[in-house]
Amino acid sequence: MRPLPAAQGQGQSAPTFTPCPPPPSASSRQTNRGRNQCDLSLPQCQRCLDLRIACPGPRVGAFFVHCSQQQQQQQQQLSAALTRIPPPATSCRAAAWDRLFLAHFVESFGLPGGAVVGGPPTWLETLPSFLGRGRDGALATASIRSASMLSYGTWACDEVIRADSYRWYATALAQLGRSINDSRQQPLETALCAAVMLIHFETWAGTAPDAWVQHVRGAAALLRAAGPEAVGTDSGGGFVRAVFSHLRFQVFLASMQDGTLHAFARPPWLEAPFREQRGTLFDELVDALFAVQRCLFTVQQQVETLDLSFNISDISTVVGSLVEDAAGQLSAWNEKYIPLLRPAPHVGNPRGDELIVKLSSKTGPGLPEAALLSLFHAGRVIVSQLASATGVTDVPDTAAEDSRVILEAASSDAQGHSPPSSKLRPFMLLPGLKIASVWSPLPEMRAEARALLLDEQILASPMADIALTSEGYFSRLATLIKNPDEKGKVKSSLGSSGQELQPTNALEEQDRSLLRTVITIITIITIITIITIITIITIITIITIITIITIITIITIITIITIITIITIITIITIITIITIITIITIITIITIITIITIITIITIITIITIITIITIITIITIITIITIITIITIITIITIITIITIITIITIITIITIITIITIITIITIITIITIITIITIITIITIITIITIITIITIIALISMGSIISTISTISIMSIVSIIAITIIAGIALASTAALRAQ
């Protein structure tokens, strides 16, 4: 359950939120898809919209619309317009919510009843006719709900209603986009209704900078496509013409900010739409403002094409008639409508332009009255400044007084009572304050106007960009006109070069030609200089780019080399580490192998020793066994012999004993003999071995002696042979010498 915030002004019973009950005809398949879930959105839940049934909620209970006694007459007129909505076939509370939101939206404009009494219905009074049209009015219904719900939700501080207004805004945008792309286009009045309501949604929401301007241009494009004659002969019950009347002011604001002149300010659109039906006081004020804008646009064009032969008399000729026309329209509107808004005394003047509305601090005008007065005097400020600059003497200089009235209108409205929706105030009062801040002749008034533009409500509105910027509203032209040093002259900054040209009548034609030649030469030199500077900048840019690329390349190469070096170092460290590990492993392996070999050697030695020991033991055992066997055999033999002897010599024991004794003795003797023989053999063997060793030693010594003798003999024989040879040689020499001596004799 979500409570509705209490309305401002009086305590009221607050209705509550509750989901819509599912319709009796809803199928289980729809229930499973979730289409029977109420989303509690206003003024109809999405489920009821999808099922095309009357929505009984989502808020139930009574709700009231508060109306003070001062607003009763306006509410009665509005109620009459709202009752034109045809009652729905089934009970649907969406219609009641639509009436509440739309009534509040219309009331927020605060239009004075007397201004339109007896005239055709305004576009606001025609809005209820677009509700209740079913699918044919879906686009208009969505757009009306978006703006009216945002207006009401903001005033009532109801975030739920505000959130639903954004949903309807998105729906209206989507439907408007589809209708533009569809070959079966929406009726002109439906598309216009959607566009205008989207404009007012953006003046509240400001979803994007200048979003309201885009919708203004879109709505104006729809009207321009239809043509001025179609607007004048409106077949849609007067709604198209009423919207055109309303839209012209918004087009004026957008054009003033852009410094342009819209088609609506040109004769076809100023005449054709009002042939069959005369315009209201607001239409005539916008006509006068468009006339002022034509003056500004024309002067701006003349200044931008200004050369040295153009002087103040040319400006007066071209613009003077336009300034007088704009001043005349403002004067006519002043005499016709100002007494209806706030009566004021006249000061004797044949044209009546001096009429100034004296505002009372106690009974300040309502929002529309203050806005109308502000716009009227803003137009007069511009006309007065243009007339003073161009030498139009028929228009009095009332710019200072007009600026003061604009400031008083803004101040008194801020202190007075505004309608429930104060969001409209910045939209209506900002143009007058902006013009005063740009065009007022007195610096203190311009400063005060700029201070009022910084109002919290203005800064919080989508118009804040216009308030904060110093551009727009032909501000450059205003600066040139207000400059006291250039009074009677018009200057222009041609393009972006910043050069100022000053026309004068004192120059002779020859001087002018010479000056033109000098200017031409200066222009050529300037162009050449600019081209040279651009070329130098381009070369420097190219060199800089090449240098940057080179530096980047060097840095990249250094980085790559560093990375490669780091990788190499890491690789070397890794290889060294691996080699160290392998070396350590090898050393450990070698040590292990050596240890294993040592162990194996030790084991082998132990095994060999063991085997030798075993063999020795086996040999000893074998010998012992053989000896035992021999002994056993001997014993057996002895036993056998004894047995045989016993058997043979049972009778003769003495004989046997004797024989045994003899045998024993013989055996002992034999054993002793054998032992003696073995001992002798052993001794002989030892002696033989000693003898052999001795013989071998003697033979070795003899061999050594023989070898020494032989060597000595060989040496002796060699020495003797050498001596013999020497002797023979000597003898032979002596013999030869003797022979030779003998022969010689």
Side-chain angles (χ1 to χ4, degrees):
M1 300 285 285
R2 293 181 290 180
L4 175 69
Q8 299 175 2
Q10 292 182 354
Q12 302 168 2
S13 59
T16 56
F17 278 114
T18 183
C20 297
S25 60
S27 64
S28 59
R29 177 168 55 86
Q30 291 174 334
T31 302
N32 292 335
R33 290 181 180 178
R35 294 186 62 185
N36 285 325
Q37 298 297 322
C38 178
D39 59 0
L40 301 177
S41 58
L42 284 173
Q44 292 174 277
C45 69
Q46 189 62 40
R47 185 209 65 185
C48 293
L49 285 174
D50 293 340
L51 297 178
R52 298 182 184 177
I53 60 176
C55 183
R59 287 183 177 176
V60 298
F63 61 88
F64 303 90
V65 180
H66 171 63
C67 177
S68 63
Q69 292 185 358
Q70 296 178 355
Q71 299 168 328
Q72 286 181 356
Q73 183 179 0
Q74 183 181 351
Q75 288 291 335
Q76 290 173 359
Q77 295 174 354
L78 184 61
S79 298
L82 291 173
T83 54
R84 300 175 192 170
I85 304 175
T90 58
S91 176
C92 181
R93 292 171 64 88
W97 284 109
D98 284 335
R99 286 188 180 94
L100 172 63
F101 299 145
L102 189 53
H104 183 274
F105 177 78
V106 173
E107 183 186 359
S108 69
F109 282 78
L111 294 176
V116 292
V117 171
T122 65
W123 70 277
L124 290 168
E125 295 173 314
T126 312
L127 285 178
S129 63
F130 288 93
L131 299 173
R133 293 187 180 182
R135 297 185 64 184
D136 294 336
L139 173 58
T141 300
S143 60
I144 290 172
R145 284 175 175 175
S146 67
S148 62
M149 290 176 68
L150 183 59
S151 170
Y152 183 86
T154 303
W155 171 72
C157 301
D158 192 325
E159 293 300 325
V160 176
I161 296 178
R162 283 173 52 83
D164 285 335
S165 71
Y166 280 84
R167 182 173 62 85
W168 285 110
Y169 177 71
T171 301
L173 279 179
Q175 292 180 358
L176 184 60
R178 286 195 297 269
S179 68
I180 292 173
N181 297 325
D182 193 354
S183 57
R184 299 172 298 175
Q185 295 183 351
Q186 294 277 354
L188 178 60
E189 60 271 15
T190 302
L192 278 177
C193 175
V196 171
M197 295 306 290
L198 295 180
I199 292 171
H200 286 284
F201 178 91
E202 287 294 351
T203 60
W204 284 74
T207 59
D210 292 338
W212 69 275
V213 176
Q214 302 303 323
H215 287 306
V216 167
R217 291 171 179 167
L222 290 173
L223 288 171
R224 290 184 65 184
E229 297 293 338
V231 175
T233 58
D234 181 13
S235 59
F239 179 77
V240 174
R241 184 184 174 281
V243 167
F244 169 72
S245 177
H246 172 68
L247 191 62
R248 292 199 312 156
F249 175 65
Q250 297 167 328
V251 169
F252 167 77
L253 295 183
S255 301
M256 286 293 289
Q257 182 62 23
D258 296 339
T260 58
L261 188 68
H262 197 269
F264 287 176
R266 303 185 185 276
W269 288 95
L270 295 173
E271 299 169 358
F274 303 104
R275 285 198 187 106
E276 296 185 3
Q277 189 171 347
R278 184 180 175 182
T280 63
L281 83 166
F282 190 66
D283 292 327
E284 294 184 21
L285 178 58
V286 174
D287 286 342
L289 293 176
F290 273 140
V292 174
Q293 193 178 50
R294 283 197 302 275
C295 295
L296 291 171
F297 186 72
T298 304
V299 172
Q300 178 176 267
Q301 283 187 319
Q302 294 297 324
V303 168
E304 289 178 350
T305 57
L306 186 64
D307 59 19
L308 290 178
S309 62
F310 194 80
N311 54 39
I312 194 168
S313 60
D314 295 321
I315 293 180
S316 178
T317 302
V318 176
V319 184
S321 59
L322 293 176
V323 173
E324 289 182 350
D325 178 63
Q329 291 190 48
L330 288 171
S331 178
W333 192 90
N334 179 26
E335 294 177 354
K336 185 175 181 180
Y337 292 111
I338 287 292
L340 296 176
L341 299 176
R342 185 68 58 193
H346 288 261
V347 178
N349 186 291
R351 291 180 57 88
D353 293 305
E354 77 290 345
L355 178 61
I356 301 299
V357 177
K358 305 297 183 181
L359 300 175
S360 171
S361 61
K362 296 182 180 179
T363 59
L367 171 63
E369 296 172 358
L372 293 173
L373 292 173
S374 177
L375 290 171
F376 165 71
H377 288 285
R380 294 216 331 173
V381 168
I382 296 175
V383 169
S384 178
Q385 291 285 72
L386 289 176
S388 177
T390 57
V392 179
T393 58
D394 293 339
V395 178
D397 186 1
T398 59
E401 188 66 19
D402 288 323
S403 300
R404 184 185 61 78
V405 174
I406 293 171
L407 298 176
E408 289 184 1
S411 300
S412 63
D413 176 72
Q415 297 169 1
H417 298 284
S418 297
S421 170
S422 59
K423 274 282 188 178
L424 193 63
R425 176 177 171 268
F427 190 86
M428 296 295 292
L429 290 179
L430 184 141
L433 288 174
K434 181 69 175 180
I435 290 172
S437 70
V438 173
W439 285 90
S440 178
L442 301 177
E444 59 271 16
M445 288 188 173
R446 293 198 297 270
E448 186 177 352
R450 284 193 291 269
L452 288 173
L453 284 173
L454 299 179
D455 178 83
E456 182 180 352
Q457 289 182 344
I458 294 178
L459 295 180
S461 72
M463 314 290 285
D465 289 341
I466 298 177
L468 291 174
T469 181
S470 59
E471 300 297 326
Y473 284 72
F474 299 87
S475 57
R476 178 177 297 178
L477 184 60
T479 301
L480 295 176
I481 291 176
K482 294 194 305 288
N483 193 336
D485 296 332
E486 302 295 331
K487 203 65 175 178
K489 305 173 185 178
V490 178
K491 290 191 174 184
S492 172
S493 51
L494 297 176
S496 60
S497 63
Q499 297 179 351
E500 294 185 350
L501 303 181
Q502 177 179 325
T504 176
N505 289 325
L507 295 175
E508 297 293 339
E509 186 63 30
Q510 184 178 358
D511 296 333
R512 292 176 181 172
S513 300
L514 180 60
L515 191 56
R516 288 194 190 98
T517 304
V518 172
I519 290 173
T520 303
I521 293 171
I522 291 172
T523 303
I524 293 171
I525 292 172
T526 303
I527 292 172
I528 293 172
T529 304
I530 291 171
I531 292 172
T532 304
I533 291 171
I534 291 172
T535 305
I536 292 171
I537 291 172
T538 304
I539 293 170
I540 291 172
T541 303
I542 292 171
I543 292 171
T544 303
I545 291 171
I546 292 171
T547 304
I548 291 171
I549 291 172
T550 305
I551 290 170
I552 291 172
T553 305
I554 292 170
I555 291 171
T556 304
I557 292 171
I558 290 171
T559 304
I560 292 170
I561 291 171
T562 304
I563 292 171
I564 291 171
T565 304
I566 291 170
I567 292 172
T568 305
I569 290 170
I570 292 171
T571 305
I572 292 171
I573 291 171
T574 304
I575 291 170
I576 291 171
T577 305
I578 292 171
I579 290 171
T580 304
I581 293 170
I582 291 171
T583 305
I584 292 170
I585 292 172
T586 305
I587 292 170
I588 293 171
T589 304
I590 291 170
I591 292 170
T592 304
I593 291 170
I594 291 171
T595 304
I596 291 171
I597 290 171
T598 304
I599 293 170
I600 290 171
T601 304
I602 293 170
I603 292 171
T604 304
I605 293 170
I606 293 170
T607 303
I608 292 170
I609 293 170
T610 305
I611 290 170
I612 292 171
T613 305
I614 291 171
I615 291 171
T616 304
I617 293 170
I618 290 172
T619 303
I620 294 170
I621 291 171
T622 303
I623 292 170
I624 292 171
T625 303
I626 292 170
I627 293 172
T628 303
I629 290 171
I630 291 170
T631 302
I632 290 170
I633 291 171
T634 302
I635 291 170
I636 290 171
T637 302
I638 290 170
I639 291 171
T640 302
I641 292 171
I642 290 171
T643 302
I644 292 171
I645 291 171
T646 301
I647 294 171
I648 294 173
T649 61
I650 295 172
I651 303 170
T652 57
I653 294 171
I654 298 170
T655 307
I656 293 169
I657 292 170
T658 305
I659 293 169
I660 290 170
T661 302
I662 295 167
I663 290 169
T664 302
I665 293 168
I666 293 168
T667 301
I668 290 170
I669 295 169
T670 301
I671 289 169
I672 292 168
T673 304
I674 291 170
I675 291 170
T676 303
I677 292 168
I678 289 169
T679 303
I680 294 168
I681 290 169
T682 302
I683 292 168
I684 292 169
T685 301
I686 292 169
I687 293 169
T688 303
I689 290 169
I690 292 170
T691 303
I692 290 169
I693 290 170
T694 304
I695 293 169
I696 290 170
T697 303
I698 292 169
I699 290 170
T700 302
I701 292 169
I702 292 170
L704 290 174
I705 294 170
S706 298
M707 288 178 67
S709 300
I710 291 169
I711 292 170
S712 299
T713 305
I714 292 170
S715 299
T716 304
I717 292 170
S718 297
I719 292 169
M720 290 177 66
S721 296
I722 293 169
V723 171
S724 299
I725 291 168
I726 293 170
I728 291 170
T729 303
I730 294 170
I731 294 169
I734 295 170
L736 288 174
S738 299
T739 302
L742 290 175
R743 286 180 181 177
Q745 291 177 359

